[in-house]
Amino acid sequence: MSRSGRLLSLLQLLRGRRTPVTAAALARDLAISERTVYRDIATLIGEGAPIVGEAGLGYVLRPGMFLPPLMLEIEEVEAILLGLKYVNQRGDDVLRRAVVTTRAKISSMLPASVQIAAFDEPLAMPGPVGEQAEGPVPVSVIRRAIRSQEKLEIAYADAKNDHSARIIWPIAVGFMESARIVGAWCELRQDFRTFRIDRIVSAVECGRYTERRATLLKRMHTALLGS
């Protein structure tokens, strides 16, 4: 068991007890030494866990809110930020202020490389969200290209099912009423365009674009959204 997994298991054991539990009992349940239990208890207390007690007498987790340090994948961060963006658009003033502080807390926990990927692009564009149409190219392919700033050579079918070949610089994934879209710079049109992801027939990476995504994002907002 990893150390982080062991700490979480220890917390779960304490949450399930209303009376103090000794280090010996915890060590037996976790198949570790008492010394390790003492060390892990000290670590959790240092991280802010409301654990009270002492060696020999036992420990108890007091009521209260405590979230241990989280290990988040980039997709999990994106999911959280998408939810925060929705709250920021639809919530009241209190919730909007909470969005600002929550984003700041998440940002402080992320390494610089992940912060750039997570915060340098919007995860939603204005519009209601409903059942999303699926296409032959997974959204994960588009997201990966956005994070790595890779151009995509795509085959695209428009609303009339007319096909065209494009090279795009994907910038942001958006969620509209019945479809996901990707906002991108289109080399063919030499302008910003949005493409329904379910109408992208194929997509192949074809080299990096060098202009910073944050800069492209601001320009795209001005061009497409007027902001």
PDB file of all heavy atoms in Angstrom, residues 24-52:
ATOM      1  N   ALA A  24      -2.330   0.420  18.635  1.00  0.00           N
ATOM      2  CA  ALA A  24      -2.168  -1.024  18.430  1.00  0.00           C
ATOM      3  C   ALA A  24      -3.299  -1.581  17.576  1.00  0.00           C
ATOM      4  O   ALA A  24      -3.081  -2.406  16.672  1.00  0.00           O
ATOM      5  CB  ALA A  24      -2.117  -1.734  19.788  1.00  0.00           C
ATOM      6  N   ALA A  25      -4.541  -1.121  17.839  1.00  0.00           N
ATOM      7  CA  ALA A  25      -5.680  -1.595  17.048  1.00  0.00           C
ATOM      8  C   ALA A  25      -5.593  -1.103  15.617  1.00  0.00           C
ATOM      9  O   ALA A  25      -5.881  -1.848  14.670  1.00  0.00           O
ATOM     10  CB  ALA A  25      -6.985  -1.133  17.697  1.00  0.00           C
ATOM     11  N   LEU A  26      -5.194   0.144  15.440  1.00  0.00           N
ATOM     12  CA  LEU A  26      -5.049   0.691  14.093  1.00  0.00           C
ATOM     13  C   LEU A  26      -3.954  -0.050  13.329  1.00  0.00           C
ATOM     14  O   LEU A  26      -4.106  -0.348  12.142  1.00  0.00           O
ATOM     15  CB  LEU A  26      -4.724   2.186  14.169  1.00  0.00           C
ATOM     16  CG  LEU A  26      -5.850   3.084  14.692  1.00  0.00           C
ATOM     17  CD1 LEU A  26      -5.326   4.498  14.973  1.00  0.00           C
ATOM     18  CD2 LEU A  26      -7.006   3.144  13.699  1.00  0.00           C
ATOM     19  N   ALA A  27      -2.848  -0.327  14.032  1.00  0.00           N
ATOM     20  CA  ALA A  27      -1.743  -1.040  13.391  1.00  0.00           C
ATOM     21  C   ALA A  27      -2.191  -2.437  12.957  1.00  0.00           C
ATOM     22  O   ALA A  27      -1.838  -2.910  11.863  1.00  0.00           O
ATOM     23  CB  ALA A  27      -0.566  -1.132  14.345  1.00  0.00           C
ATOM     24  N   ARG A  28      -2.980  -3.088  13.790  1.00  0.00           N
ATOM     25  CA  ARG A  28      -3.478  -4.429  13.468  1.00  0.00           C
ATOM     26  C   ARG A  28      -4.405  -4.387  12.248  1.00  0.00           C
ATOM     27  O   ARG A  28      -4.298  -5.223  11.343  1.00  0.00           O
ATOM     28  CB  ARG A  28      -4.210  -4.992  14.683  1.00  0.00           C
ATOM     29  CG  ARG A  28      -4.581  -6.459  14.570  1.00  0.00           C
ATOM     30  CD  ARG A  28      -4.993  -7.039  15.914  1.00  0.00           C
ATOM     31  NE  ARG A  28      -6.014  -6.231  16.574  1.00  0.00           N
ATOM     32  CZ  ARG A  28      -5.811  -5.501  17.657  1.00  0.00           C
ATOM     33  NH1 ARG A  28      -4.604  -5.437  18.208  1.00  0.00           N
ATOM     34  NH2 ARG A  28      -6.806  -4.807  18.211  1.00  0.00           N
ATOM     35  N   ASP A  29      -5.289  -3.393  12.203  1.00  0.00           N
ATOM     36  CA  ASP A  29      -6.231  -3.293  11.075  1.00  0.00           C
ATOM     37  C   ASP A  29      -5.516  -2.976   9.766  1.00  0.00           C
ATOM     38  O   ASP A  29      -5.952  -3.428   8.694  1.00  0.00           O
ATOM     39  CB  ASP A  29      -7.278  -2.211  11.363  1.00  0.00           C
ATOM     40  CG  ASP A  29      -8.274  -2.637  12.429  1.00  0.00           C
ATOM     41  OD1 ASP A  29      -8.380  -3.855  12.683  1.00  0.00           O
ATOM     42  OD2 ASP A  29      -8.936  -1.755  13.008  1.00  0.00           O
ATOM     43  N   LEU A  30      -4.440  -2.198   9.851  1.00  0.00           N
ATOM     44  CA  LEU A  30      -3.737  -1.766   8.640  1.00  0.00           C
ATOM     45  C   LEU A  30      -2.535  -2.645   8.311  1.00  0.00           C
ATOM     46  O   LEU A  30      -1.889  -2.436   7.278  1.00  0.00           O
ATOM     47  CB  LEU A  30      -3.275  -0.314   8.790  1.00  0.00           C
ATOM     48  CG  LEU A  30      -4.384   0.741   8.862  1.00  0.00           C
ATOM     49  CD1 LEU A  30      -3.812   2.108   9.220  1.00  0.00           C
ATOM     50  CD2 LEU A  30      -5.129   0.823   7.531  1.00  0.00           C
ATOM     51  N   ALA A  31      -2.226  -3.595   9.194  1.00  0.00           N
ATOM     52  CA  ALA A  31      -1.081  -4.497   9.002  1.00  0.00           C
ATOM     53  C   ALA A  31       0.231  -3.713   8.897  1.00  0.00           C
ATOM     54  O   ALA A  31       1.057  -3.966   8.008  1.00  0.00           O
ATOM     55  CB  ALA A  31      -1.292  -5.381   7.772  1.00  0.00           C
ATOM     56  N   ILE A  32       0.394  -2.767   9.812  1.00  0.00           N
ATOM     57  CA  ILE A  32       1.616  -1.965   9.873  1.00  0.00           C
ATOM     58  C   ILE A  32       2.063  -1.907  11.331  1.00  0.00           C
ATOM     59  O   ILE A  32       1.377  -2.385  12.238  1.00  0.00           O
ATOM     60  CB  ILE A  32       1.405  -0.536   9.330  1.00  0.00           C
ATOM     61  CG1 ILE A  32       0.285   0.184  10.110  1.00  0.00           C
ATOM     62  CG2 ILE A  32       1.068  -0.564   7.844  1.00  0.00           C
ATOM     63  CD1 ILE A  32       0.064   1.631   9.677  1.00  0.00           C
ATOM     64  N   SER A  33       3.217  -1.304  11.571  1.00  0.00           N
ATOM     65  CA  SER A  33       3.728  -1.202  12.933  1.00  0.00           C
ATOM     66  C   SER A  33       3.082  -0.039  13.673  1.00  0.00           C
ATOM     67  O   SER A  33       2.585   0.909  13.058  1.00  0.00           O
ATOM     68  CB  SER A  33       5.245  -1.007  12.911  1.00  0.00           C
ATOM     69  OG  SER A  33       5.567   0.273  12.385  1.00  0.00           O
ATOM     70  N   GLU A  34       3.106  -0.121  15.012  1.00  0.00           N
ATOM     71  CA  GLU A  34       2.588   0.991  15.810  1.00  0.00           C
ATOM     72  C   GLU A  34       3.396   2.257  15.554  1.00  0.00           C
ATOM     73  O   GLU A  34       2.842   3.360  15.546  1.00  0.00           O
ATOM     74  CB  GLU A  34       2.614   0.626  17.301  1.00  0.00           C
ATOM     75  CG  GLU A  34       1.580  -0.411  17.698  1.00  0.00           C
ATOM     76  CD  GLU A  34       1.555  -0.639  19.206  1.00  0.00           C
ATOM     77  OE1 GLU A  34       1.602   0.363  19.952  1.00  0.00           O
ATOM     78  OE2 GLU A  34       1.491  -1.813  19.623  1.00  0.00           O
ATOM     79  N   ARG A  35       4.708   2.114  15.369  1.00  0.00           N
ATOM     80  CA  ARG A  35       5.536   3.287  15.103  1.00  0.00           C
ATOM     81  C   ARG A  35       5.061   3.998  13.837  1.00  0.00           C
ATOM     82  O   ARG A  35       5.010   5.223  13.784  1.00  0.00           O
ATOM     83  CB  ARG A  35       6.999   2.868  14.964  1.00  0.00           C
ATOM     84  CG  ARG A  35       7.936   4.019  14.637  1.00  0.00           C
ATOM     85  CD  ARG A  35       9.383   3.599  14.656  1.00  0.00           C
ATOM     86  NE  ARG A  35       9.803   3.199  15.998  1.00  0.00           N
ATOM     87  CZ  ARG A  35      11.045   2.862  16.321  1.00  0.00           C
ATOM     88  NH1 ARG A  35      11.998   2.854  15.381  1.00  0.00           N
ATOM     89  NH2 ARG A  35      11.347   2.518  17.553  1.00  0.00           N
ATOM     90  N   THR A  36       4.693   3.214  12.822  1.00  0.00           N
ATOM     91  CA  THR A  36       4.192   3.821  11.584  1.00  0.00           C
ATOM     92  C   THR A  36       2.873   4.547  11.836  1.00  0.00           C
ATOM     93  O   THR A  36       2.622   5.620  11.289  1.00  0.00           O
ATOM     94  CB  THR A  36       4.007   2.746  10.498  1.00  0.00           C
ATOM     95  OG1 THR A  36       5.267   2.132  10.222  1.00  0.00           O
ATOM     96  CG2 THR A  36       3.469   3.360   9.208  1.00  0.00           C
ATOM     97  N   VAL A  37       2.011   3.954  12.682  1.00  0.00           N
ATOM     98  CA  VAL A  37       0.747   4.610  13.021  1.00  0.00           C
ATOM     99  C   VAL A  37       1.022   5.963  13.680  1.00  0.00           C
ATOM    100  O   VAL A  37       0.411   6.977  13.319  1.00  0.00           O
ATOM    101  CB  VAL A  37      -0.103   3.723  13.951  1.00  0.00           C
ATOM    102  CG1 VAL A  37      -1.299   4.523  14.492  1.00  0.00           C
ATOM    103  CG2 VAL A  37      -0.588   2.497  13.214  1.00  0.00           C
ATOM    104  N   TYR A  38       1.951   5.998  14.656  1.00  0.00           N
ATOM    105  CA  TYR A  38       2.256   7.259  15.332  1.00  0.00           C
ATOM    106  C   TYR A  38       2.759   8.295  14.332  1.00  0.00           C
ATOM    107  O   TYR A  38       2.373   9.467  14.369  1.00  0.00           O
ATOM    108  CB  TYR A  38       3.319   7.031  16.419  1.00  0.00           C
ATOM    109  CG  TYR A  38       2.856   6.179  17.567  1.00  0.00           C
ATOM    110  CD1 TYR A  38       3.690   5.204  18.118  1.00  0.00           C
ATOM    111  CD2 TYR A  38       1.583   6.332  18.101  1.00  0.00           C
ATOM    112  CE1 TYR A  38       3.263   4.400  19.173  1.00  0.00           C
ATOM    113  CE2 TYR A  38       1.147   5.534  19.159  1.00  0.00           C
ATOM    114  CZ  TYR A  38       1.995   4.578  19.689  1.00  0.00           C
ATOM    115  OH  TYR A  38       1.570   3.804  20.734  1.00  0.00           O
ATOM    116  N   ARG A  39       3.604   7.856  13.422  1.00  0.00           N
ATOM    117  CA  ARG A  39       4.155   8.778  12.429  1.00  0.00           C
ATOM    118  C   ARG A  39       3.061   9.286  11.487  1.00  0.00           C
ATOM    119  O   ARG A  39       3.009  10.481  11.168  1.00  0.00           O
ATOM    120  CB  ARG A  39       5.263   8.080  11.639  1.00  0.00           C
ATOM    121  CG  ARG A  39       6.000   9.005  10.668  1.00  0.00           C
ATOM    122  CD  ARG A  39       7.262   8.359  10.112  1.00  0.00           C
ATOM    123  NE  ARG A  39       6.973   7.110   9.407  1.00  0.00           N
ATOM    124  CZ  ARG A  39       7.396   5.922   9.807  1.00  0.00           C
ATOM    125  NH1 ARG A  39       8.107   5.800  10.910  1.00  0.00           N
ATOM    126  NH2 ARG A  39       7.103   4.839   9.093  1.00  0.00           N
ATOM    127  N   ASP A  40       2.163   8.384  11.077  1.00  0.00           N
ATOM    128  CA  ASP A  40       1.084   8.793  10.170  1.00  0.00           C
ATOM    129  C   ASP A  40       0.085   9.716  10.871  1.00  0.00           C
ATOM    130  O   ASP A  40      -0.426  10.667  10.247  1.00  0.00           O
ATOM    131  CB  ASP A  40       0.364   7.567   9.623  1.00  0.00           C
ATOM    132  CG  ASP A  40       1.201   6.803   8.603  1.00  0.00           C
ATOM    133  OD1 ASP A  40       2.250   7.327   8.187  1.00  0.00           O
ATOM    134  OD2 ASP A  40       0.796   5.677   8.228  1.00  0.00           O
ATOM    135  N   ILE A  41      -0.198   9.443  12.146  1.00  0.00           N
ATOM    136  CA  ILE A  41      -1.086  10.327  12.900  1.00  0.00           C
ATOM    137  C   ILE A  41      -0.493  11.725  12.961  1.00  0.00           C
ATOM    138  O   ILE A  41      -1.196  12.738  12.754  1.00  0.00           O
ATOM    139  CB  ILE A  41      -1.316   9.778  14.327  1.00  0.00           C
ATOM    140  CG1 ILE A  41      -2.167   8.501  14.300  1.00  0.00           C
ATOM    141  CG2 ILE A  41      -1.956  10.844  15.223  1.00  0.00           C
ATOM    142  CD1 ILE A  41      -3.634   8.716  14.004  1.00  0.00           C
ATOM    143  N   ALA A  42       0.803  11.814  13.229  1.00  0.00           N
ATOM    144  CA  ALA A  42       1.473  13.124  13.290  1.00  0.00           C
ATOM    145  C   ALA A  42       1.401  13.837  11.943  1.00  0.00           C
ATOM    146  O   ALA A  42       1.197  15.053  11.879  1.00  0.00           O
ATOM    147  CB  ALA A  42       2.929  12.947  13.732  1.00  0.00           C
ATOM    148  N   THR A  43       1.552  13.075  10.857  1.00  0.00           N
ATOM    149  CA  THR A  43       1.466  13.675   9.518  1.00  0.00           C
ATOM    150  C   THR A  43       0.074  14.238   9.264  1.00  0.00           C
ATOM    151  O   THR A  43      -0.075  15.372   8.779  1.00  0.00           O
ATOM    152  CB  THR A  43       1.802  12.619   8.449  1.00  0.00           C
ATOM    153  OG1 THR A  43       3.148  12.188   8.610  1.00  0.00           O
ATOM    154  CG2 THR A  43       1.628  13.200   7.045  1.00  0.00           C
ATOM    155  N   LEU A  44      -0.947  13.466   9.594  1.00  0.00           N
ATOM    156  CA  LEU A  44      -2.322  13.925   9.369  1.00  0.00           C
ATOM    157  C   LEU A  44      -2.652  15.145  10.222  1.00  0.00           C
ATOM    158  O   LEU A  44      -3.302  16.088   9.739  1.00  0.00           O
ATOM    159  CB  LEU A  44      -3.301  12.782   9.677  1.00  0.00           C
ATOM    160  CG  LEU A  44      -3.300  11.613   8.680  1.00  0.00           C
ATOM    161  CD1 LEU A  44      -4.128  10.461   9.218  1.00  0.00           C
ATOM    162  CD2 LEU A  44      -3.823  12.063   7.325  1.00  0.00           C
ATOM    163  N   ILE A  45      -2.208  15.154  11.464  1.00  0.00           N
ATOM    164  CA  ILE A  45      -2.434  16.327  12.316  1.00  0.00           C
ATOM    165  C   ILE A  45      -1.738  17.546  11.729  1.00  0.00           C
ATOM    166  O   ILE A  45      -2.294  18.651  11.710  1.00  0.00           O
ATOM    167  CB  ILE A  45      -1.952  16.042  13.754  1.00  0.00           C
ATOM    168  CG1 ILE A  45      -2.854  14.994  14.418  1.00  0.00           C
ATOM    169  CG2 ILE A  45      -1.930  17.325  14.588  1.00  0.00           C
ATOM    170  CD1 ILE A  45      -2.366  14.529  15.775  1.00  0.00           C
ATOM    171  N   GLY A  46      -0.528  17.335  11.207  1.00  0.00           N
ATOM    172  CA  GLY A  46       0.200  18.436  10.577  1.00  0.00           C
ATOM    173  C   GLY A  46      -0.496  18.979   9.351  1.00  0.00           C
ATOM    174  O   GLY A  46      -0.355  20.153   9.012  1.00  0.00           O
ATOM    175  N   GLU A  47      -1.249  18.113   8.673  1.00  0.00           N
ATOM    176  CA  GLU A  47      -2.000  18.543   7.489  1.00  0.00           C
ATOM    177  C   GLU A  47      -3.343  19.169   7.853  1.00  0.00           C
ATOM    178  O   GLU A  47      -4.065  19.633   6.974  1.00  0.00           O
ATOM    179  CB  GLU A  47      -2.243  17.352   6.553  1.00  0.00           C
ATOM    180  CG  GLU A  47      -0.978  16.774   5.933  1.00  0.00           C
ATOM    181  CD  GLU A  47      -0.384  17.696   4.884  1.00  0.00           C
ATOM    182  OE1 GLU A  47      -1.072  18.658   4.475  1.00  0.00           O
ATOM    183  OE2 GLU A  47       0.766  17.451   4.474  1.00  0.00           O
ATOM    184  N   GLY A  48      -3.687  19.175   9.135  1.00  0.00           N
ATOM    185  CA  GLY A  48      -4.921  19.832   9.562  1.00  0.00           C
ATOM    186  C   GLY A  48      -6.048  18.916   9.991  1.00  0.00           C
ATOM    187  O   GLY A  48      -7.149  19.387  10.290  1.00  0.00           O
ATOM    188  N   ALA A  49      -5.804  17.602  10.019  1.00  0.00           N
ATOM    189  CA  ALA A  49      -6.862  16.676  10.430  1.00  0.00           C
ATOM    190  C   ALA A  49      -7.170  16.882  11.918  1.00  0.00           C
ATOM    191  O   ALA A  49      -6.253  16.919  12.742  1.00  0.00           O
ATOM    192  CB  ALA A  49      -6.431  15.238  10.181  1.00  0.00           C
ATOM    193  N   PRO A  50      -8.444  16.983  12.298  1.00  0.00           N
ATOM    194  CA  PRO A  50      -8.816  17.232  13.701  1.00  0.00           C
ATOM    195  C   PRO A  50      -8.765  15.957  14.539  1.00  0.00           C
ATOM    196  O   PRO A  50      -9.782  15.476  15.044  1.00  0.00           O
ATOM    197  CB  PRO A  50     -10.240  17.792  13.576  1.00  0.00           C
ATOM    198  CG  PRO A  50     -10.789  17.145  12.353  1.00  0.00           C
ATOM    199  CD  PRO A  50      -9.624  17.001  11.403  1.00  0.00           C
ATOM    200  N   ILE A  51      -7.573  15.396  14.685  1.00  0.00           N
ATOM    201  CA  ILE A  51      -7.380  14.175  15.457  1.00  0.00           C
ATOM    202  C   ILE A  51      -6.903  14.556  16.858  1.00  0.00           C
ATOM    203  O   ILE A  51      -5.985  15.365  17.014  1.00  0.00           O
ATOM    204  CB  ILE A  51      -6.343  13.253  14.791  1.00  0.00           C
ATOM    205  CG1 ILE A  51      -6.826  12.823  13.396  1.00  0.00           C
ATOM    206  CG2 ILE A  51      -6.072  12.025  15.654  1.00  0.00           C
ATOM    207  CD1 ILE A  51      -5.777  12.077  12.588  1.00  0.00           C
ATOM    208  N   VAL A  52      -7.535  13.992  17.878  1.00  0.00           N
ATOM    209  CA  VAL A  52      -7.115  14.242  19.250  1.00  0.00           C
ATOM    210  C   VAL A  52      -6.834  12.903  19.924  1.00  0.00           C
ATOM    211  O   VAL A  52      -7.379  11.866  19.540  1.00  0.00           O
ATOM    212  CB  VAL A  52      -8.184  15.015  20.058  1.00  0.00           C
ATOM    213  CG1 VAL A  52      -8.372  16.411  19.494  1.00  0.00           C
ATOM    214  CG2 VAL A  52      -9.516  14.272  20.055  1.00  0.00           C
TER     215      VAL A  52
END
